[in-house]
Amino acid sequence: MSKDNYVEQITNIDDDFAKWYTDIVIKAKLADYTETKGCISIRPYGFEIWENIKNYADKKFKEIGIKNAYFPLLIPENLLQKEKDHIEGFSPEVAWVNEIGDTKLDERLCIRPTSETIICSMYSKWLSSYRDLPFLYNQWCNVLRWEKETRPFLRSREFLWQEGHTIHETEKEAKEFTLKMLEIYSDILENLLAIPVVKGKKTESEKFAGAKETYTIETLMKDGKALQSATSHYFGQNFSKPFNIKFQNRDGKEEYAYQTSFGITTRLIGAIIMSHGDDRGLKLPPKIAPIQVNIIPIKTNDEKVMNVVNEIYKELNGSYRIEIDDRDNYSVGYKFNDSEMRGIPLRIEIGPRDLENNKCIIVRRDTLEKIEVELDNIKNEIDILLKDIQNNMYKMCEERMKEKTSVAKNIEEFESIINNNQGFIKVMWCGDNACEEKIKKLTSAKSRCIPFNEEKLYDKCFCCGKEAKHMVYFGRQY
Amino acid sequence: MSKDNYVEQITNIDDDFAKWYTDIVIKAKLADYTETKGCISIRPYGFEIWENIKNYADKKFKEIGIKNAYFPLLIPENLLQKEKDHIEGFSPEVAWVNEIGDTKLDERLCIRPTSETIICSMYSKWLSSYRDLPFLYNQWCNVLRWEKETRPFLRSREFLWQEGHTIHETEKEAKEFTLKMLEIYSDILENLLAIPVVKGKKTESEKFAGAKETYTIETLMKDGKALQSATSHYFGQNFSKPFNIKFQNRDGKEEYAYQTSFGITTRLIGAIIMSHGDDRGLKLPPKIAPIQVNIIPIKTNDEKVMNVVNEIYKELNGSYRIEIDDRDNYSVGYKFNDSEMRGIPLRIEIGPRDLENNKCIIVRRDTLEKIEVELDNIKNEIDILLKDIQNNMYKMCEERMKEKTSVAKNIEEFESIINNNQGFIKVMWCGDNACEEKIKKLTSAKSRCIPFNEEKLYDKCFCCGKEAKHMVYFGRQY
């Protein structure tokens, strides 16, 4: 019997969330562990989800004038050193190449943890006049960050991502672009992945190493932990000065460029699993599901049945991503479970009895509801159902996020919430990093962001009692 | 004045081919040198060409059932060691990671020069029954090979490629797949890149490290040197045995899988430059040109002209990749040169005088021919011209390849050809590696392939005079 010749039970989501997560990663064949410790292999089914995210994002990027390019994987040590905060932030988890074959290199080369430094070195070479600006470049690539604890997709030593790097003539234009990218990311999360978001600005202590301002898309997973799902950074001239990215401005004077960077990663696949999945396995939003409709014949050896199955396939194929599960070495029951494990939004069941009534059964993955459908109305029904599933999955997440978002007026309330309900905790905050530190030590929760839509919950800082400056989202994080 | 504020003269192709090549790479902004020695940065214009090749290839791959996946960049040393010939072939140019931050690793990790070993380790984990087969997986990724001498695109220490890795139930199926991939590659070269090819099998001494058979797509550059443009390998069980890739066959017995691998790289951009370019710069086949039509208003401050220009843009946009060059800080003459340097297949020139006659001028990049076209016939004309340019560029290459392909009956003829006309040299060969070695020492030319369509040119080996077994293409190579 083949290793994968049955659907194994997965851990219950309520018994052990972490185990439930990795069970789905492995059993839905999204990814697998490899002989390279801390690095995963993304299997075709998982990679197709990434391709669907990538194609959508890449189109959005190109619509606003971003162009793709490619920069070296390896960065000479002296380049990485140029921006102080940046190197401090990354050096502990950087992988170094210092041998080729059996000969030592004069200077170590690091594998990019991110590409600001090497890209800045090129921008300073390519830029000369304000007429050249803006540079709106992006690269889809792999990066390496040697995390101590790793988890598939969420925290992998190597991961795939997109890193956009732009330089602009003015501070205003660069800041606007930083926020424009955040809007594109929230569209990807909400409209493509059906995951509601909280948009906001990171506090000083949670900023990206080298950034002036970091904006973030925060999402809430089913276990009540927050996931930083996308970030967009405004660098000001923090990199353009050490890297000498200058241009002649409209007054004929030399000026340093204003810079941004922004990214999303394969971590989003983890967000999908932890936002939508259940005890039966993965649950994929139709828009990114590699297979949107799975046709399961109740009898593969019944010619009448197979004829109808093939007709339906012909009718739907091209309009939807569709698959017939006609494997004859698996039971129908297995195929149902398998279809649910893989999170396929809709499955069509057709057997001899259905044909007699000229009908078939369509089962929704999101609600598991069974719907009897006239054969000649299938396409129309599928179209309605897929749209409805996409919307319903978003709504279910949104309700859960509401339920799991609380207000804490003081440390005691904060602690009791974090230790019971978890989730997002909204507080008023004085703006002092000391309070963030204190809370982190007490509860291991961190500030997620200062939301764009701040509410005035109350007057004093929940932690120190001083005058409150901002409303902040806190939460434990991945 | 901006660095790029004029079109610099490039070296004449006949004066110094190598310099001409790198001039185009830099001045057409395809790529640039970086602070990481031997590694280039692919600029947006060059990368868009790669994206056009990639999208075409990826579609072809998916049509025959190949799925994309991703495997780790870093490979533990012990894995790389498992296939003897393989490690021998690659170890001298492999980059090793042995430090994270400031801590040494217990085992060195190499940056993939190719991924057979890590992929095999996963296949052995995933495969169990003949029912699971075939695995038809591919990854688009970066690889590293530490070449001593590097040239942009042709021989870069890091390059981008696609590597397909398949395993099959039978030798027959695997061999057929190896050849099927070669056909897809020759389609890419001939129909997409407008470059004629010679298809064939590598001799024993020129095989890929670890392969049983290597098939190749050989092309001929304008300087008469050959470029290996794509390869497809049949591994038999050379990897499946050491990596224990076994399955239960239809008789219930254990059997080792039959394997293939195949790839194309960013080197193809070099092939485009050296197959089509001329003293005015790059020359791009319409099918992969990032910009197919470039509209250049003779007067950007003439409202009537700009209105027509914008109308034409609206009419053509969507059907073609089109750009208006309305930069007001460049002369019209500069824009013509710039358009030619960037190899844009067609440019449309429109000035006030043209408007009076309700006409415009269209200039072909391939022939530099100027065609007067009625304004209301532009779209139709463009359509015809782009198709004709694609075909004509192929024909021009094909003729050149014919001219530069000769027959040598003995070593003397061989030497005189290689030292004058260069190009492909067809010979009859005994099959003995000693003759290949002798020729390599004498002339630095290598066997390119035993073509699928062998001719019987004469009876005896051109080198040793023994009975000839095969017709072989020889040539100096990149």
Side-chain angles (χ1 to χ4, degrees), chain B residues 100-284:
Chain B
I100 305 299
D102 291 322
T103 43
K104 279 246 175 302
L105 285 170
D106 309 337
E107 183 185 18
R108 294 197 298 180
L109 302 167
C110 90
I111 297 178
R112 61 182 165 220
T114 177
S115 302
E116 277 75 10
T117 55
I118 187 79
I119 289 176
C120 283
S121 71
M122 299 313 291
Y123 281 0
S124 76
K125 195 173 171 185
W126 294 337
L127 176 63
S128 54
S129 159
Y130 72 90
R131 288 197 169 94
D132 307 329
L133 291 170
F135 288 177
L136 309 177
Y137 298 168
N138 173 68
Q139 75 177 354
W140 293 93
C141 66
N142 54 338
V143 289
L144 218 86
R145 297 175 188 181
W146 214 261
E147 309 276 359
K148 293 205 170 26
E149 287 189 7
T150 63
R151 299 185 61 187
F153 295 119
L154 295 175
R155 205 166 279 286
S156 188
R157 284 171 178 175
E158 181 187 12
F159 56 87
L160 303 182
W161 79 346
Q162 146 282 311
E163 53 178 315
H165 298 270
T166 71
I167 50 174
H168 304 262
E169 188 183 349
T170 66
E171 173 168 13
K172 181 167 176 298
E173 186 186 306
K175 283 185 167 178
E176 282 167 2
F177 200 85
T178 310
L179 295 173
K180 186 189 268 181
M181 289 314 303
L182 202 73
E183 287 310 311
I184 288 180
Y185 288 148
S186 74
D187 168 68
I188 290 169
L189 267 290
E190 297 197 319
N191 297 325
L192 192 70
L193 308 187
I195 302 173
V197 308
V198 171
K199 283 178 268 185
K201 190 177 176 177
K202 287 287 187 187
T203 61
E204 279 305 298
S205 57
E206 295 295 325
K207 272 180 353 185
F208 176 81
K212 265 193 152 44
E213 297 166 357
T214 289
Y215 296 90
T216 180
I217 299 286
E218 298 288 325
T219 57
L220 195 63
M221 303 297 105
K222 277 195 165 178
D223 63 346
K225 281 202 193 136
L227 186 75
Q228 179 179 297
S229 301
T231 49
S232 185
H233 314 290
Y234 172 63
F235 288 142
Q237 299 172 315
N238 286 3
F239 284 86
S240 64
K241 282 178 177 168
F243 283 92
N244 197 35
I245 305 175
K246 278 187 300 206
F247 64 96
Q248 194 176 48
N249 66 21
R250 291 169 195 270
D251 311 324
K253 296 202 181 62
E254 281 204 328
E255 188 169 355
Y256 290 103
Y258 301 87
Q259 191 170 3
T260 84
S261 87
F262 42 89
I264 50 173
T265 80
T266 35
R267 158 176 263 206
L268 288 178
I269 297 172
I272 295 165
I273 300 169
M274 295 192 294
S275 298
H276 301 303
D278 64 16
D279 284 338
R280 291 170 183 249
L282 193 60
K283 214 187 264 189
L284 292 175

Side-chain angles (χ1 to χ4, degrees), chain A residues 47 68 160 172 186 219 386 396 457 474:
Chain A
F47 198 83
N68 289 329
L160 304 181
K172 181 168 176 299
S186 74
T219 57
L386 287 177
M396 290 194 291
L457 305 165
F474 272 78

